[in-house]
Amino acid sequence: MLRKNNVILFVFFLIIVLVASACGANEGDIASEVNEVEDVNVTSENVEVVDTSYIVNHAMGETVIPDTPERVVILTNEGTEALLALDVKPVGAVQSWLGDPWYTHIENQMGGVVNLGTEMEPAIEEIIALEPDLIIGTKIRQEQIYEQLSAIAPTVFSETLKGEWQENFDLYAEALNKKVDGEEIIFQFNQRIEDFKQKAEKELEKEVSIIRFLPGTARIYHKQSFSGVILDQLGIKRPIVQNVDDFMVEVSKESIPDMDGDILFYFTYDDGSGQGTQTEEEWLNDPLWNNLNVVKEGNVHKVSDAIWNTAGGVLAANIMLDELFKIYEIE
């Protein structure tokens, strides 16, 4: 009986030893796996850091933009059009030259945008309060405050605002990190230009005169004005006295004969005082005006000052082209 009990105890002891050994082996395996994990040093050297910054060369030098901007302040009217065309709504913008405070053709896209004053005098305090991550302006208007603006956020300036709207658009698109989108928009516009040229044919031979009335004065616009650049791209001829590679000339009534052409487009800038409209009425009732061949032939068209001149951007350019298709009866 005693012997039988000893055998049972021995077997029981053997089982305990085997179980303990198995557990020890598992713990060893687990410890080994932990050690293997600990051997992998997770450091910043193992994590790929993506640099999202880019450099934009512009009228004032070069600017590093850390990342695609989300809060953009725009200080030119043509720049506002560029942003909207690129599906970027600015947090703040200078007011339109006409409208209250935005041009009619963009006002439905400008809800909630802070009015920053004029291109000539943008409100610095308002810009600071908006905490922008990009400011876009122009040297010809805001060169004196460039350093102040640069201290607020990365700032990019175009050189001027005359007829170089496509070059400026390319710059704005690059600053917004939307260069490819910008190229497509300009490509589509230029395709429309080519379509017009092919369909207009002999109509392009007609000489087109561009006139603007302002409070107390008038101007003849040349090839480097906004509308002049587009007409030149279309291949439309200009009267000899207007076929000049500069912006415009301010004239008196004695120069009315220089306004003649086969087709005449005029627009009037009125700041709300009624003086621009008064100038228009005075000149259109002048005997010299009514003696123009283009007036006698009934080929005078009043168009929008905002679209043909002051807005100066891609949206206005396309609307102007729409109007030319209609006036020239091109489908």
Side-chain angles (χ1 to χ4, degrees), residues 16-296:
I16 291 174
V17 171
L18 291 172
V19 171
S21 297
C23 291
N26 289 338
E27 290 173 358
D29 292 340
I30 293 171
S32 177
E33 291 174 4
V34 170
N35 289 336
E36 288 177 6
V37 172
E38 290 177 347
D39 286 341
V40 179
N41 294 318
V42 182
T43 67
S44 59
E45 295 178 359
N46 300 114
V47 179
E48 183 179 356
V49 178
V50 178
D51 183 6
T52 58
S53 66
Y54 52 101
I55 298 174
V56 178
N57 293 297
H58 57 99
M60 303 300 291
E62 64 177 34
T63 293
V64 178
I65 302 175
D67 200 354
T68 300
E70 296 180 354
R71 297 182 59 80
V72 183
V73 159
I74 183 69
L75 304 181
T76 69
N77 278 250
E78 68 160 26
T80 299
E81 296 213 345
L83 264 64
L84 296 177
L86 290 162
D87 293 324
V88 176
K89 188 174 184 178
V91 293
V94 290
Q95 66 191 48
S96 302
W97 292 110
L98 298 165
D100 186 24
W102 318 117
Y103 293 120
T104 303
H105 68 283
I106 65 169
E107 61 184 354
N108 64 344
Q109 302 177 67
M110 296 292 284
V113 177
V114 175
N115 178 2
L116 297 174
T118 68
E119 286 187 3
M120 302 298 189
E121 295 185 66
I124 299 294
E125 296 79 9
E126 293 278 4
I127 295 172
I128 294 171
L130 289 172
E131 299 182 349
D133 47 24
L134 175 65
I135 300 170
I136 298 175
T138 182
K139 183 177 179 179
I140 197 173
R141 296 273 197 261
Q142 299 120 16
E143 181 178 10
Q144 300 303 317
I145 60 171
Y146 176 76
E147 295 301 328
Q148 287 177 270
L149 296 172
S150 296
I152 300 169
T155 301
V156 171
F157 271 13
S158 63
E159 183 72 36
T160 187
L161 296 173
K162 294 180 181 178
E164 300 84 352
W165 72 270
Q166 286 200 23
E167 293 86 344
N168 290 351
F169 180 86
D170 291 340
L171 174 66
Y172 304 152
E174 183 181 359
L176 294 167
N177 206 17
K178 286 179 169 281
K179 187 175 181 178
V180 174
D181 293 338
E183 289 172 349
E184 177 61 23
I185 289 169
I186 294 299
F187 174 79
Q188 292 296 333
F189 176 80
N190 289 333
Q191 284 292 100
R192 297 190 68 205
I193 291 284
E194 293 304 314
D195 184 44
F196 183 96
K197 290 169 67 174
Q198 291 176 13
K199 293 176 179 177
E201 297 179 343
K202 293 183 180 180
E203 293 294 307
L204 297 177
E205 297 297 318
K206 294 180 178 179
E207 294 180 353
V208 170
S209 180
I210 303 291
I211 310 300
R212 188 188 194 199
F213 298 114
L214 302 94
T217 189
R219 295 175 177 177
I220 297 175
Y221 276 76
H222 296 159
K223 292 174 65 177
Q224 291 306 312
S225 62
F226 175 70
S227 51
V229 165
I230 294 175
L231 293 181
D232 190 52
Q233 191 177 0
L234 288 166
I236 291 174
K237 289 191 173 183
R238 305 293 303 279
I240 293 176
V241 293
Q242 298 182 31
N243 193 37
V244 183
D245 284 320
D246 63 16
F247 183 48
M248 61 83 191
V249 60
E250 197 160 303
V251 296
S252 63
K253 288 183 180 178
E254 287 73 18
S255 296
I256 287 178
D258 292 339
M259 298 178 176
D260 214 347
D262 297 310
I263 303 173
L264 186 149
F265 296 103
Y266 77 89
F267 36 89
T268 300
Y269 177 78
D270 199 313
D271 57 7
S273 65
Q275 294 180 16
T277 302
Q278 183 179 345
T279 301
E280 175 193 333
E281 292 173 352
E282 288 177 3
W283 284 59
L284 265 58
N285 287 307
D286 191 279
L288 285 174
W289 176 271
N290 287 293
N291 196 46
L292 294 173
N293 291 324
V294 68
V295 174
K296 293 177 181 178

